[in-house]
Amino acid sequence: MKAHEHTTGGFVSGQVKLALTLRLLAGGSYMDLALLFDVGFSTSYEIFHKVIKDWILDDRLVKINAVDFCSDDEQMSKVALEFARASNNVINGCIGAIDGWIVKTRKPSIKRDLHNMSDPSSYFSRKGFFGINVQAIVDRKKRILYRNINSRGAEHDSTAFKQSSFYKWLLQNYEKLKSGGYYFIGDSAYSIKAFLITPFDNAVHGTSEDNFNFFHSSSRIMVECAFGEIDLRWGILWSPLRFSLKHNVNVIDACMRLHNFIVDWREGEHCRSSDVDEKDIFDDDHRRFMAAFPEVEMIGVHGGEEEEREGRGRPTNLDRELTAFGRTVRQTLCDDVESKKLVRPR
């Protein structure tokens, strides 16, 4: 397909624009694709950014809205049932797994990206590169239910989530989730709350707390799988994004929305056997990685309960209430693991 075959008077057709954009997201070279589609080098990126902004980020194509999800009892019940079935009914009430993902970018420009901010080093992550901290919640199918792409690379996951508008919404509406027995799960980087259950810190091997942590981790790993699938599919993420900060955010958002589009397709009625095979390939790749590097589960900067014990700011009465209820929920789940005599595989 070439642009001149689908153009009139210099107009580039939608087919060419979309094909060019998807190929660039998949990791193609803009120079190669400009020649392939017979468009100018500078025009290729103009098309790329416009298609992302006007087409892919249009909510009519794919909408990601966590508040809408948490307001839909039917959807929450469906997701909770999927997590329960996959965990021997240990993780009952879970409606999503949260984690942070650092997407590599080049060093932000003070003049172009940061305006009045004079410290681009805040985008330098603990992993040793500049990036954007992406917070995301996924369901058992790896569908993204929530994403926040506004935090700097050096931001701690717990801080990045607490600064989001969705966290503030949860503080104001936690009773709705509490009444339905619903909660999210996250790793030890997050603070335990009524709506966010984290693993036990420093659990001794062989104890009921350690066994609970295993089932918790096995459910939480879906968010890692989702990040891995997005990264494997969209080759543009394999090297640091080199656009403006605004365009970098749009590219990441586009990859996540297209990921949901694919998940919806393969989970839908029109899914072919080849689509199922592709899903299995991504899952198998992740299982092999985790088997080869079991210590990955322990990597990370801890926050959560450790962060609270360090006394970073005086907790409010609401914080204390939410933390206490979260610990009660976690202990109830842990007691259920012990009563069922479920243990971590040896």
Side-chain angles (χ1 to χ4, degrees):
M1 182 192 301
K2 292 190 175 181
H4 70 81
E5 297 173 351
H6 296 268
T7 60
T8 303
F11 173 77
V12 181
S13 75
Q15 285 178 298
V16 171
K17 290 178 180 179
L18 183 58
L20 175 65
T21 300
L22 292 176
R23 291 288 292 273
L24 283 171
L25 286 173
S29 162
Y30 81 96
M31 297 183 70
D32 291 343
L33 294 174
L35 293 173
L36 176 65
F37 291 109
D38 197 21
V39 298
F41 292 142
S42 61
T43 304
S44 62
Y45 270 126
E46 291 177 9
I47 292 172
F48 175 71
H49 292 303
K50 185 171 179 60
V51 168
I52 285 179
K53 178 178 177 293
D54 294 341
W55 297 5
I56 299 177
L57 301 189
D58 190 329
D59 284 346
R60 290 174 295 180
L61 177 66
V62 176
K63 185 176 182 179
I64 303 174
N65 190 304
V67 173
D68 286 351
F69 170 74
C70 290
S71 302
D72 189 331
D73 291 329
E74 183 179 348
Q75 283 297 315
M76 288 193 293
S77 176
K78 179 180 177 181
V79 172
L81 182 60
E82 291 170 351
F83 273 106
R85 285 174 172 170
S87 62
N88 287 327
N89 289 316
V90 170
I91 309 299
N92 282 305
C94 174
I95 55 173
I98 185 173
D99 203 359
W101 174 33
I102 306 296
V103 178
K104 294 180 181 178
T105 68
R106 69 177 181 181
K107 182 179 179 180
S109 164
I110 295 177
K111 182 178 180 181
R112 182 186 63 186
D113 296 324
L114 304 183
H115 305 297
N116 297 326
M117 294 176 60
S118 58
D119 188 15
S121 65
S122 62
Y123 283 84
F124 192 78
S125 74
R126 60 183 172 80
K127 296 187 177 181
F129 51 80
F130 287 95
I132 295 173
N133 184 320
V134 179
Q135 294 292 302
I137 296 175
V138 308
D139 65 12
R140 194 68 180 71
K141 305 289 188 183
K142 297 184 284 190
R143 182 183 292 103
I144 296 167
L145 306 174
Y146 159 80
R147 85 280 187 236
N148 178 41
I149 319 175
N150 295 327
S151 299
R152 294 165 288 185
E155 208 86 69
H156 191 282
D157 281 346
S158 180
T159 304
F161 185 45
K162 284 181 177 179
Q163 291 176 345
S164 69
S165 59
F166 182 54
Y167 186 86
K168 295 177 176 64
W169 184 89
L170 287 171
L171 289 178
Q172 296 171 358
N173 298 273
Y174 74 95
E175 287 285 0
K176 175 176 175 55
L177 298 187
K178 180 180 175 182
S179 63
Y182 297 131
Y183 54 84
F184 299 104
I185 56 174
D187 62 22
S188 296
Y190 299 94
S191 301
I192 188 169
K193 294 288 184 247
F195 50 79
L196 178 55
I197 304 303
T198 60
F200 287 96
D201 287 345
N202 306 314
V204 177
H205 183 73
T207 62
S208 58
E209 289 83 3
D210 179 58
N211 293 329
F212 166 79
N213 282 358
F214 167 75
F215 289 101
H216 183 282
S217 175
S218 298
S219 296
R220 194 183 71 239
I221 204 171
M222 298 315 299
V223 67
E224 302 278 1
C225 292
F227 291 155
E229 186 171 326
I230 294 169
D231 194 58
L232 281 171
R233 176 173 282 114
W234 304 114
I236 196 170
L237 303 175
W238 298 352
S239 56
L241 296 175
R242 301 182 179 276
F243 309 116
S244 69
L245 194 56
K246 179 180 178 181
H247 282 152
N248 285 343
V249 170
N250 285 348
V251 167
I252 296 168
D253 197 12
C255 291
M256 299 181 91
R257 289 182 186 236
L258 289 172
H259 168 78
N260 272 14
F261 182 87
I262 294 169
V263 172
D264 289 342
W265 171 260
R266 74 183 178 211
E267 298 296 335
E269 297 178 358
H270 305 291
C271 179
R272 303 182 299 273
S273 60
S274 59
D275 297 318
V276 177
D277 292 342
E278 181 193 66
K279 174 180 179 293
D280 292 340
I281 289 172
F282 280 112
D283 288 347
D284 289 344
D285 283 345
H286 190 84
R287 280 191 286 268
R288 283 194 292 271
F289 176 80
M290 293 305 295
F293 302 98
E295 71 279 6
V296 167
E297 180 182 339
M298 304 302 297
I299 293 175
V301 176
H302 286 276
E305 292 172 278
E306 292 183 10
E307 181 182 49
E308 291 181 354
R309 284 195 291 267
E310 290 173 4
R312 298 181 182 178
R314 180 174 296 177
T316 65
N317 289 334
L318 177 60
D319 282 331
R320 293 191 187 96
E321 178 187 341
L322 293 176
T323 299
F325 188 78
R327 288 174 176 162
T328 299
V329 171
R330 182 175 64 185
Q331 188 59 52
T332 300
L333 295 171
C334 181
D335 292 342
D336 188 44
V337 170
E338 187 171 20
S339 67
K340 292 177 179 176
K341 298 183 179 180
L342 299 172
V343 298
R344 176 192 290 268
R346 304 301 179 189

